[in-house]
């Protein structure tokens, strides 16, 4: 059973903001890192941002300045998305990694449209 629960997606107008949450719903997994990926229709999963157990963060170059990742991989991570544009429309997934194992959340839809 997937222990990651995402929330915070929805419909927003261009220029708007959303904050996604990914909560570890049970257990103590001591993940090595967590991150956000997104998948637009017909596209592959693309890395949006990641955070390690030491708190080191990384945001995809094309999203720097608009997206910020924060949180604690022992409990929950967040993705703050500002100045959203229609091309940001996608299903956003939370992923956690421990060694060779990866866990995925169920995804949350983000739609940017006027």
């Amino acid at each position: 059973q997937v222990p990651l629960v995402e929330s915070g997606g929805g419909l927003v107008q261009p220029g708007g903001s959303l904050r996604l949450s990914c909560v570890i719903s049970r257990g103590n997994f001591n993940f090595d890192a967590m991150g956000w990926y997104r998948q637009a229709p017909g596209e592959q999963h693309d890395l949006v941002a990641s955070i390690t157990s030491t708190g080191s963060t990384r945001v995809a170059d094309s999203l720097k300045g608009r997206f910020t990742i924060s949180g604690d991989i022992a409990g929950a991570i967040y993705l703050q998305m500002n100045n959203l544009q229609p091309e940001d429309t996608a299903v956003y997934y939370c992923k956690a990694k421990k060694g060779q194992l990866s866990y995925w959340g169920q995804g949350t839809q983000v739609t940017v449209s006027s």
Side-chain angles (χ1 to χ4, degrees), residues 9-14 18 84-86 88-90 92 108-113:
L11 173 63
V12 63
Q13 292 186 342
L18 285 174
L84 283 161
Q85 300 300 316
D88 296 316
T89 295
Y92 285 70
T108 185
Q109 176 70 47
V110 171
T111 302
V112 186
S113 176

Side-chain angles (χ1 to χ4, degrees), residues 79-100:
L79 184 68
Q80 178 67 42
M81 305 184 293
N82 298 328
N83 191 23
L84 283 161
Q85 300 300 316
E87 55 266 32
D88 296 316
T89 295
V91 179
Y92 285 70
Y93 295 90
C94 178
K95 175 185 175 181
K97 187 173 181 181
K98 181 173 177 62
Q100 298 300 313

Side-chain angles (χ1 to χ4, degrees), residues 29-97:
F29 290 81
N30 294 317
F31 294 125
D32 301 320
M34 294 181 68
W36 290 97
Y37 288 71
R38 68 184 184 183
Q39 186 174 29
E43 302 291 333
Q44 63 183 10
H45 280 91
D46 290 325
L47 175 65
V48 174
S50 62
I51 183 168
T52 70
S53 60
T54 61
S56 177
T57 61
R58 182 166 69 103
V59 177
D61 288 342
S62 62
L63 302 175
K64 287 179 179 177
R66 296 196 300 124
F67 286 24
T68 304
I69 188 171
S70 64
D72 181 351
I73 68 172
I77 64 168
Y78 309 95
L79 184 68
Q80 178 67 42
M81 305 184 293
N82 298 328
N83 191 23
L84 283 161
Q85 300 300 316
E87 55 266 32
D88 296 316
T89 295
V91 179
Y92 285 70
Y93 295 90
C94 178
K95 175 185 175 181
K97 187 173 181 181

